[in-house]
Amino acid sequence: MANGGPVQHGFPHLETVRASITALYKRLSYDTVQTFATSVAPADVAFCDTDDLYLGAQRVAHELVRHYHLPDARMIVSFREMTHAANVELAAGPEYFVELNDRFRAHRRDIGAALAHEVMHVYLHRLGLSFPGTRDNEILTDTATTYLGAGWLLLDAYREDAASSQKLGYLTPEEFGYVLAKRALVFAEDPSVWFTSPQAYTAYAKGLAEARRDEQQPPLTAAGWVGRRRYARDRRHAQDRQGGGAPAGVPYAFTPDGRGPLRVSFPCPTCQQRIRVPVRGRVRARCGLCRTVLECDT
């Protein structure tokens, strides 16, 4: 939790974020991801200053348990002084103990954001899905929280001005915007209508632009002229060498096929699973993981 300190910006964790999206689809399946098509509604996690602190926190935690399809998980929420925003005790269940930073006593509208991350820890724990190392595992948790419909709360908790700052989670604001945009493109959703933080709009716009770039990379037909020209040159070099290769700075790679044409592999713009197709002109490819149909010019 950045509380008054500097807030990191940009996309320094993008590789891990993309790996997290792929891992979600692999572990959950396309059909299960589709059950999260509706995001957490603002009214369901609203927290007024007049609400009882503990009863209100329990109510919001219960709503997030329901959203994540954890019917038998009971959250016991308490508050104490700590460095981080929150902490959850990952035991066998069904009761899980969540501790929130004492500062949320006075910043109650952000309790939903903190709980969204901690309840996701429980969800991933039950799935048996994790990444090695604390940093990557926390990035996975932020990504899963956002992609499965509750992470807009984390981005909305980001506020920054000349005198103060606050950010929850391990992702940068722009990375939260990126994952929100990836979700929005799948479910035709506009999360920006729920933002109360002006800075969240800006971060989402930058994340959306980055997500759009994923859809405009060769060999996809939506690629721009510059990308298509670079791709044609790299393809020609691969064919001249009669072998494969992964050109520097681009997401695609060419691989030889002993019994057929050269092949090109590239990440699916939806789930980031790599797809491999023949180099033979116009091709329609269907991602086996997220079922996205892609128009390609290989």
Side-chain angles (χ1 to χ4, degrees):
M1 177 175 65
N3 179 19
V7 174
Q8 187 179 26
H9 288 278
F11 300 93
H13 314 112
L14 200 53
E15 182 178 345
T16 307
V17 167
R18 287 169 171 162
S20 298
I21 295 174
T22 306
L24 273 180
Y25 273 96
K26 285 183 175 180
R27 182 63 184 86
L28 293 180
S29 81
Y30 166 84
D31 290 329
T32 302
V33 170
Q34 290 295 308
T35 66
F36 291 92
T38 302
S39 289
V40 172
D44 292 337
V45 292
F47 205 120
C48 300
D49 290 339
T50 56
D51 290 346
D52 179 271
L53 179 64
Y54 291 95
L55 291 179
Q58 292 292 150
R59 172 182 57 79
V60 173
H62 175 74
E63 179 58 34
L64 290 163
V65 165
R66 184 203 64 77
H67 176 76
Y68 292 143
H69 310 156
L70 289 166
D72 61 339
R74 297 193 294 273
M75 299 291 153
I76 310 300
V77 184
S78 62
F79 297 80
R80 71 174 177 87
E81 291 186 9
M82 64 175 80
T83 302
H84 297 292
N87 181 62
V88 63
E89 180 183 317
L90 292 176
E95 289 187 342
Y96 296 89
F97 295 90
V98 180
E99 296 176 316
L100 299 182
N101 193 299
D102 255 344
R103 80 183 304 270
F104 289 115
R105 293 177 182 271
H107 297 81
R108 298 185 181 187
R109 68 172 178 168
D110 297 324
I111 284 177
L115 287 173
H117 178 96
E118 298 308 317
V119 179
M120 177 52 70
H121 269 302
V122 174
Y123 182 73
L124 295 177
H125 175 69
R126 288 192 167 195
L127 283 177
L129 178 58
S130 64
F131 281 177
T134 299
R135 170 188 169 277
D136 286 359
N137 203 52
E138 292 292 349
I139 291 171
L140 168 65
T141 304
D142 276 343
T143 302
T145 302
T146 306
Y147 203 83
L148 298 184
W152 69 267
L153 290 161
L154 285 160
L155 180 54
D156 195 43
Y158 161 57
R159 291 180 284 278
E160 187 174 18
D161 55 38
S164 63
S165 65
Q166 174 185 279
K167 186 190 77 69
L168 304 182
Y170 281 67
L171 300 185
T172 68
E174 293 78 15
E175 288 168 340
F176 274 120
Y178 172 82
V179 183
L180 271 177
K182 302 295 274 188
R183 172 184 169 79
L185 293 171
V186 169
F187 296 114
E189 185 179 68
D190 181 10
S192 66
V193 299
W194 303 318
F195 295 151
T196 61
S197 164
Q199 292 79 24
Y201 287 97
T202 303
Y204 177 67
K206 292 180 179 178
L208 178 59
E210 187 68 27
R212 289 289 190 193
R213 277 190 283 272
D214 288 350
E215 299 180 330
Q216 298 165 355
Q217 297 292 327
L220 300 174
T221 56
W225 181 83
V226 174
R228 294 295 311 162
R229 186 180 177 88
R230 167 72 189 271
Y231 177 84
R233 185 188 67 191
D234 292 336
R235 178 183 59 198
R236 186 171 59 253
H237 289 168
Q239 289 170 332
D240 291 345
R241 293 193 302 268
Q242 296 184 346
V250 293
Y252 53 83
F254 296 98
T255 55
D257 191 328
R259 296 186 301 274
L262 191 70
R263 290 180 175 267
V264 61
S265 64
F266 60 96
C268 169
T270 298
C271 70
Q272 300 300 307
Q273 170 87 335
R274 291 197 74 84
I275 297 170
R276 189 166 176 257
V277 296
V279 174
R280 63 182 183 197
R282 289 272 180 167
V283 175
R284 176 173 289 180
R286 185 173 185 267
C287 178
L289 190 57
C290 69
R291 304 184 187 178
T292 302
V293 176
L294 304 169
E295 298 291 341
C296 310
D297 186 355
T298 61

